[in-house]
Amino acid sequence: PDPEPPEHPDKAPDGSEITVEEVRAKLRQCQPEKAAGPDDILTKILKSCYFELAPIFCKIFNKCLLGGKIPN
């Protein structure tokens, strides 16, 4: 028989989920004087745009949790 679909399809199998508020809090903690990471995005940009970026990052992070894969 086919497995039953998850009760909450946007959550990881263990029920964990990253919230927009958690992402916003982490982005606000960025230190603007730090160098950009391997993605070349300046921390100054992440911090100054935290409110708008958090929902986008949250969706990406939760899809990674759900699929068990992290993009390269």
Side-chain angles (χ1 to χ4, degrees):
D2 291 331
E4 290 191 31
E7 189 173 322
H8 298 283
D10 294 335
K11 290 187 179 180
D14 67 356
S16 61
E17 180 181 36
I18 298 170
T19 67
V20 173
E21 293 77 23
E22 289 173 314
V23 177
R24 283 188 178 136
K26 290 296 182 185
L27 289 173
R28 279 194 310 263
Q29 292 175 1
C30 285
Q31 298 176 6
E33 66 280 356
K34 297 285 186 175
D39 54 14
D40 288 328
I41 299 173
L42 298 172
T43 54
K44 178 169 69 172
I45 300 296
L46 293 173
K47 186 167 187 165
S48 65
C49 299
Y50 80 92
F51 193 85
E52 295 84 0
L53 292 173
I56 298 164
F57 287 161
C58 185
K59 190 174 282 191
I60 293 168
F61 298 157
N62 281 314
K63 287 206 179 272
C64 290
L65 276 176
L66 180 63
K69 296 182 181 177
I70 299 174
N72 296 343

